[in-house]
Amino acid sequence: MWCIAKITDEYIERMFDITRLYKKPYDPKNPVICFDEKNKQLLGSSLQSIPIKPGRIKRVDYRYKRNGTANIFVTVEPKGKFRTIKVTKRRTKTDFAKEIKRIIKLFKYKNAKKIHIVLDNLNTHFEKSFYETFSKIEAKNILKRIKFHYTPKHASWLNMAEIEINVLSSQCLNQKILELKEMRKHIAAWSKHRNKIKAGINWKFTKEQAEIKFKLNHKTQKLNE
């Protein structure tokens, strides 16, 4: 269910920017990718499970032990039918900046002119993170290759990375995972399979539908004047 905040001019402008971006045809020279992160608790069984036997399923004790948390950076290119995921211990400004640098250096984006990145307003998701992590020259070189498109505040539902995270959670993270190494292994196998079958996301919510749903005809006319 969507949680809709107050519809301000900024909300409308950002929503329309993203819906226009999603409507554009696939262009590998100007790819549109969606970025988000998820926090996942690392859990293990407190007692050894009873293995599968003929006529009996595997038995696992309901109790568990905590082993900290992991951060999962999820990047998906819906029309390119590609995703790349990085598991880290934290999600600091440095972690974010390094992850964006890793993404734009992938072979898939080697020849891209401008990489459009849809993301939310988390306090790490800004240019300042790059200048605090890299030299001024390197930060500028990275920022030249990308353009951030921020979702409206309290409107992360406009970010298709959330859809990919929901699929990841239901298909891969729906189990107890004790260590980072184990989580990385599971996620790598899952994302490799998703890329192999070329799983994409068919986004259908348009600017025109937004105008009708939020009764924006008067406001959009005013914004266009």
Side-chain angles (χ1 to χ4, degrees), residues 72-89:
I72 307 169
F73 286 122
V74 176
T75 302
V76 60
E77 186 188 351
K79 290 185 177 177
K81 300 180 180 180
F82 173 78
R83 71 272 305 134
T84 180
I85 303 175
K86 179 81 170 181
V87 180
T88 61
K89 292 181 180 180

Side-chain angles (χ1 to χ4, degrees), residues 10-190:
E10 180 188 79
Y11 191 107
I12 296 170
E13 288 171 3
R14 289 187 175 188
M15 178 169 61
F16 286 176
D17 173 54
I18 291 173
T19 53
R20 281 194 295 266
L21 197 64
Y22 288 167
K23 192 174 182 179
K24 291 181 178 180
Y26 174 59
D27 179 4
K29 294 290 185 180
N30 295 279
V32 176
I33 67 176
C34 301
F35 178 94
D36 204 354
E37 53 260 285
K38 174 182 175 61
N39 186 267
K40 176 67 175 176
Q41 193 170 33
L42 295 168
L43 300 173
S45 297
S46 58
L47 295 175
Q48 187 174 358
S49 59
I50 301 174
I52 296 173
K53 290 185 178 181
R56 188 168 67 182
I57 63 173
K58 180 180 179 180
R59 297 185 178 185
V60 180
D61 187 73
Y62 70 92
R63 291 174 293 179
Y64 59 86
K65 57 183 178 182
R66 294 183 176 88
N67 194 32
T69 59
N71 172 64
I72 307 169
F73 286 122
V74 176
T75 302
V76 60
E77 186 188 351
K79 290 185 177 177
K81 300 180 180 180
F82 173 78
R83 71 272 305 134
T84 180
I85 303 175
K86 179 81 170 181
V87 180
T88 61
K89 292 181 180 180
R90 303 176 300 169
R91 61 173 187 181
T92 63
K93 292 179 181 179
T94 296
D95 294 308
F96 167 72
K98 288 182 176 179
E99 177 60 2
I100 296 298
K101 178 183 176 181
R102 182 189 73 85
I103 292 165
I104 68 174
K105 284 185 171 292
L106 292 174
F107 180 79
K108 181 174 177 62
Y109 303 120
K110 179 181 177 182
N111 298 317
K113 293 179 180 178
K114 184 73 75 173
I115 301 172
H116 296 267
I117 305 176
V118 175
L119 71 174
D120 63 26
N121 300 270
L122 192 66
N123 63 349
T124 59
H125 294 174
F126 294 93
E127 293 185 2
K128 185 179 178 182
S129 296
F130 297 89
Y131 288 105
E132 291 183 6
T133 303
F134 307 113
S135 68
K136 187 175 181 179
I137 293 175
E138 185 173 11
K140 282 186 174 181
N141 287 336
I142 293 171
L143 292 169
K144 280 180 184 177
R145 296 200 59 212
I146 63 179
K147 181 177 180 181
F148 290 142
H149 298 261
Y150 293 100
T151 61
K153 293 176 182 178
H154 310 295
S156 57
W157 55 271
L158 278 163
N159 187 348
M160 281 194 266
E162 285 208 346
I163 297 174
E164 191 72 12
I165 286 175
N166 287 336
V167 179
L168 171 67
S169 297
S170 64
Q171 294 183 353
C172 179
L173 301 179
N174 57 344
Q175 57 186 307
K176 291 177 183 176
I177 301 177
L178 180 62
E179 297 177 341
L180 281 173
K181 183 178 179 180
E182 182 185 0
M183 180 174 285
R184 286 171 178 144
K185 181 180 178 181
H186 284 296
I187 289 177
W190 178 87

